[in-house]
Amino acid sequence: MATPRPPHPDENPAGIDLPLDPLPGHSSRGRLERVLRRGEFAVTTELNPPDSANPQDVYERAAIFDGWVDGINAVDASGANCHMSSVGICALLTRMGYAPIMQIACRDKNRIAIQGDVLGAAAMGVANILCLTGDGVQAGDQPGAKPVFDLDSMSLLETVRIMRDNGKFLSGRKLTTPPQVFLGAAVNPFAPPYDFRPIHLGKKIAAGAQFVQTQYCFDVPMFRDFMERARDLGFTEKVFVLCGVGPLASAKTAKWIRSNVPGVHIPDSVIKRLEGAQDQKKEGKQLCIDIINEVKEIPGVSGIHVMAYRQEEYVAEMVHESGVLKGRKPWKREVRADDQMVADRLDHILHDDATQQPVQLVEKAAH
């Protein structure tokens, strides 16, 4: 019989799906906040949401990151395109012990629905929330949808902070149990006006942001300037900055992104490097590793956020080759003895019992 493995330091021994014990000075009972507050270099990534109602599609995509990341963003209809909801993905991830970062975009829901989602997510064990304004509906494949934008990223941060710290809804009504969440926001150092970007970061910190994930960084000198200004303003003492990085599949892809994705800045030097490579996809991966190695040395950078759309299989390799973890091993979901039993039972219910009536299934389960 196999010897059971000892629990990971950032895992509740009573169950992988349970929150960690509370610690003084921590807003959440989640793994990501612990890693950052210990001063360890954090790694987060994004899960490409499926156009599917099959939970296995989520688990297969999450398993690619096992042992390499400290948090997984559950994106909320990014680009205004509909996929499985961020709340649904978080529900699936928390039950398996993963540390999701639930994105909330203000485009699709008003303050009533958003506050309800925050409570529901916290009840499921979601410890991290990333507050976004969201892309306009015209960016997606259903431009006729009605946008909401009752809140924006700033007021959303303030809303969740009030719920957490004051124990109240925006209406002033008291909460029985406030949500224990670590609050995040997005920043873009690479969009004009550049001088305003550090100030904008300060506004998000004032609204409640405790960590930020940046837009893709392909221009390290520009990012270094942003971080220098943020340090001078004292902001890096108040927020954890995770630099956004990711591989480019080809020079053609880079040109398309630069022309069609607002807010993404890709210098000509990057495109020339890709064009001169014999294997552009491999070079795009190496470029990402090189950028990671540069930004990890910038004072005030607390981690990286790896966005590898349709190249998720490279995340582990890039994290490993960059050496950012310095030998640390993020939490990994271990295969449990009852996993196959649960899978077999589910298959039996879905297929073998399909012809039985609901009453028969209930009677069978009772015995």
Side-chain angles (χ1 to χ4, degrees):
M1 185 174 179
T3 304
R5 70 172 180 89
H8 189 278
D10 293 327
E11 175 181 298
N12 191 326
I16 60 172
D17 59 327
L18 299 176
L20 302 171
D21 291 333
L23 289 178
H26 286 229
S27 301
S28 73
R29 298 171 66 182
R31 194 176 303 128
L32 177 61
E33 184 177 9
R34 286 199 174 192
V35 168
L36 288 167
R37 292 198 185 280
R38 285 199 300 256
E40 295 170 341
F41 199 86
V43 178
T44 59
T45 192
E46 292 191 351
L47 187 145
N48 179 26
D51 294 337
S52 163
N54 187 345
Q56 195 59 34
D57 290 342
V58 172
Y59 294 138
E60 288 175 358
R61 296 177 188 206
I64 294 174
F65 309 127
D66 270 353
W68 295 102
V69 304
D70 301 295
I72 302 175
N73 281 33
V75 303
D76 189 13
S78 61
N81 291 308
C82 185
H83 309 284
M84 184 186 289
S85 72
S86 59
V87 173
I89 290 172
C90 285
L92 295 170
L93 293 181
T94 52
R95 72 170 66 167
M96 291 297 185
Y98 292 105
I101 301 167
M102 188 175 83
Q103 292 188 2
I104 300 178
C106 298
R107 174 191 55 247
D108 305 315
K109 297 176 182 177
N110 67 15
R111 67 191 67 188
I112 297 172
I114 286 174
Q115 289 173 93
D117 279 352
V118 169
L119 292 183
M124 293 186 299
V126 174
N128 315 290
I129 292 179
L130 190 80
C131 300
L132 305 168
T133 298
D135 301 309
V137 294
Q138 68 276 6
D141 59 1
Q142 299 183 62
K146 186 174 182 178
V148 179
F149 293 115
D150 185 23
L151 303 174
D152 61 13
S153 60
M154 295 288 190
S155 53
L156 175 55
L157 281 165
E158 292 173 346
T159 296
V160 184
R161 178 174 54 80
I162 288 169
M163 294 175 69
R164 183 192 66 198
D165 297 347
N166 299 353
K168 296 179 180 180
F169 289 111
L170 284 181
S171 65
R173 186 158 48 92
K174 290 185 178 180
L175 294 168
T176 305
T177 304
Q180 295 177 292
V181 290
F182 190 45
L183 273 177
V187 295
N188 188 356
F190 314 103
Y194 305 115
D195 289 344
F196 176 69
R197 292 302 156 188
I199 298 170
H200 192 237
L201 169 62
K203 291 179 180 292
K204 292 202 171 184
I205 294 170
Q210 297 166 290
F211 73 96
V212 294
Q213 295 172 333
T214 80
Q215 179 59 277
Y216 283 107
C217 174
F218 294 111
D219 191 328
V220 177
M222 185 178 288
F223 179 65
R224 190 177 285 112
D225 290 344
F226 168 82
M227 289 301 300
E228 183 178 358
R229 181 79 188 284
R231 288 195 307 273
D232 290 344
L233 292 168
F235 295 154
T236 55
E237 303 293 323
K238 302 175 182 178
V239 72
F240 298 101
V241 178
L242 280 67
C243 180
V245 296
L248 291 166
S250 66
K252 181 179 179 181
T253 300
K255 290 177 181 178
W256 187 92
I257 291 173
R258 185 166 68 174
S259 300
N260 295 278
V261 181
V264 178
H265 165 66
I266 303 178
D268 291 338
S269 58
V270 167
I271 293 174
K272 288 179 181 178
R273 175 174 169 176
L274 293 172
E275 287 176 334
Q278 190 170 8
D279 184 336
Q280 293 193 10
K281 194 168 188 178
K282 183 178 179 181
E283 189 65 26
K285 183 182 66 175
Q286 185 58 50
L287 170 69
C288 183
I289 294 170
D290 292 345
I291 291 173
I292 293 172
N293 282 324
E294 287 193 70
V295 300
K296 73 182 182 183
E297 302 299 333
I298 298 175
V301 175
S302 299
I304 53 171
H305 177 57
V306 188
M307 296 170 280
Y309 179 64
R310 293 186 177 177
Q311 297 188 76
E312 290 88 353
E313 67 277 9
Y314 290 146
V315 170
E317 190 176 340
M318 293 186 299
V319 172
H320 172 69
E321 292 187 17
S322 66
V324 288
L325 293 175
K326 297 181 179 179
R328 180 174 67 86
K329 296 186 181 299
W331 179 88
K332 178 179 180 180
R333 184 178 183 274
E334 302 290 342
V335 177
R336 303 189 317 187
D338 61 347
D339 279 356
Q340 190 58 48
M341 180 183 69
V342 172
D344 291 344
R345 178 56 185 154
L346 180 60
D347 184 69
H348 178 63
I349 291 172
L350 292 175
H351 298 95
D352 297 346
D353 293 346
T355 59
Q356 296 189 44
Q357 297 298 315
V359 173
Q360 292 176 302
L361 291 175
V362 172
E363 291 175 349
K364 186 175 180 179
H367 293 84

